Amino acid sequence: MAGTFVTLTEIEAARPVIAPHILRTPTVPSVSLSERMGQPVYLKLEHRQITGAFKLRGVLNALNRLTPDERRRGVVTASTGNHGRALAYAAGLQAMRSIICMSNLVPGNKVDEIRKLGAEIRIVGASQDDAQEEVEEIVAQDGLAMIPPFDSAAIVAGQGTIGLEIIEDVPDVETVLVPLSGGGLIAGIAAAIKGLKPRTRIIGISMQNGAAMAASLTAGHPVSVVEQQSLADSLGGGIGLNNRVTFGMVRELIDEIVLLSEEEIAAGIAHAYAHEREIIEGAAAVGIGALLAGKIRLQGPVVALLSGRNIDMEQHRRIVAGYHPGETVPCRA
């Protein structure tokens, strides 16, 4: 399947565009995980980003490419939460109208934070595909510019700046663990890191419940999956049957995919709080969870990306107190 392939040059070009508006997040050693794994383990603290997740990088790069007329009309997207929050924030900085379409699976705390930023909210259906259909209707009827959550060269290039920072902070890194959903994050990071250090392993980590990219790679082409509730809610949603960017890049650049149970994701969240003093959401905990579960073959220094912190705090309290994945926190009242 032919498609767009984002290059290291494009990622490097995105960096000065977004730098004035983001945090350059640190990469820090984890004493607890290094001792447990017998290899140096580092954590890339992207959950400390301004909007609580990595998504702001790609959004800012994409908005930079809009025409004056597109800026006047406004922007729209489908989101599982963090991308919508980033777009609402960035659009607000530029006094642009924004509409965020989400499914009923998006946790209520994420919806509330997007609303606080002044975006218009549309809750549609029970999947990201349903939300995307609403986006396409808005584009057709009102002429807003669509800012995709992942399948966009501009988005991938923006997220790829994380890879540049990882190589700067840990030049001898051998393995990078990246949360995997639609592929915008891991495609950008992999393009950056393999462009600078080709032998570095890039491992994508997702949940067992509805991992669309993993299913698509197994099938050899983009496929639909049934979306399910998961602690890693940010990793839900399809990759788009007409995926033009991320499927091909992930297929070419990623060395391995690891899938986690809900118990393993919960263990990652609990470990981050108890031993690293970090509050992270389920999607951000999958790297730690994979290490704790013994699912990563270690060879030299490892960096695990903590991608977001936008977790419902009642859910977080239950997890660190001994959460059982059979119990759920309602998405919204």
Side-chain angles (χ1 to χ4, degrees):
M1 176 183 295
T4 301
F5 204 98
V6 176
T7 66
L8 174 61
T9 298
E10 291 174 274
I11 295 168
E12 291 173 332
R15 194 173 195 180
V17 170
I18 69 175
H21 310 290
I22 66 163
L23 298 179
R24 200 288 192 191
T25 55
T27 307
V28 301
S30 167
V31 174
S32 65
L33 289 171
S34 296
E35 290 178 350
R36 183 162 181 159
M37 301 300 132
Q39 294 280 3
V41 177
Y42 298 83
L43 303 175
K44 172 63 168 167
L45 307 184
E46 188 63 16
H47 65 299
R48 297 185 183 179
Q49 195 51 259
I50 293 169
T51 57
F54 70 93
K55 290 284 192 176
L56 185 59
R57 295 172 183 257
V59 162
L60 287 167
N61 195 45
L63 292 187
N64 183 64
R65 300 189 183 187
L66 294 180
T67 66
D69 184 57
E70 288 172 329
R71 292 173 184 276
R72 179 186 58 78
R73 287 184 275 123
V75 291
V76 61
T77 196
S79 175
T80 55
N82 289 336
H83 174 69
R85 184 170 179 175
L87 183 58
Y89 173 84
L93 291 179
Q94 302 181 35
M96 276 191 285
R97 179 190 183 193
S98 62
I99 302 177
I100 314 300
C101 301
M102 295 171 281
S103 80
N104 282 294
L105 291 179
V106 177
N109 67 296
K110 293 186 175 181
V111 176
D112 292 342
E113 291 302 321
I114 293 170
R115 185 175 288 111
K116 289 177 185 177
L117 291 169
E120 300 171 44
I121 305 293
R122 305 279 178 90
I123 305 298
V124 183
S127 72
Q128 181 142 326
D129 288 340
D130 292 337
Q132 181 61 35
E133 289 181 8
E134 179 74 7
V135 169
E136 290 167 5
E137 288 187 16
I138 292 170
V139 171
Q141 294 176 7
D142 300 332
L144 275 70
M146 180 173 63
I147 306 297
F150 53 85
D151 194 34
S152 154
I155 293 289
V156 169
Q159 320 303 26
T161 59
I162 296 172
L164 302 179
E165 294 174 10
I166 288 173
I167 291 295
E168 290 171 355
D169 292 346
V170 189
D172 59 343
V173 62
E174 293 291 335
T175 304
V176 181
L177 310 180
V178 184
L180 174 62
S181 179
L185 175 63
I186 199 168
I189 289 176
I193 290 178
K194 287 186 178 288
L196 295 167
K197 197 171 184 289
R199 295 176 64 89
T200 304
R201 288 194 306 156
I202 308 294
I203 299 179
I205 309 176
S206 197
M207 70 291 195
Q208 292 173 352
N209 294 342
M213 183 62 79
S216 297
L217 291 172
T218 298
H221 56 85
V223 298
S224 297
V225 298
V226 176
E227 292 186 39
Q228 304 176 50
Q229 285 198 330
S230 171
L231 290 176
D233 56 89
S234 293
L235 303 185
I239 69 167
L241 297 181
N242 296 313
N243 188 290
R244 296 176 298 174
V245 182
T246 61
F247 175 76
M249 290 187 68
V250 171
R251 183 177 57 184
E252 294 298 321
L253 295 174
I254 305 313
D255 296 282
E256 185 180 351
I257 292 178
V258 171
L259 302 182
L260 300 188
S261 68
E262 295 300 293
E263 290 86 355
E264 289 165 342
I265 297 169
I269 295 171
H271 180 95
Y273 184 74
H275 298 279
E276 314 296 341
R277 295 296 184 261
E278 300 291 346
I279 294 175
I280 57 175
E281 60 187 273
V286 293
I288 294 176
L291 289 169
L292 295 175
K295 292 188 171 181
I296 304 299
R297 177 173 53 87
L298 299 176
Q299 52 181 53
V302 178
V303 173
L305 173 64
L306 308 188
S307 55
R309 65 169 183 258
N310 299 322
I311 188 170
D312 179 275
M313 289 310 298
E314 176 58 29
Q315 185 181 69
H316 188 272
R317 284 189 287 271
R318 291 168 59 183
I319 290 169
V320 300
Y323 171 90
H324 186 279
E327 303 167 359
T328 59
V329 175
C331 290
R332 58 180 52 80

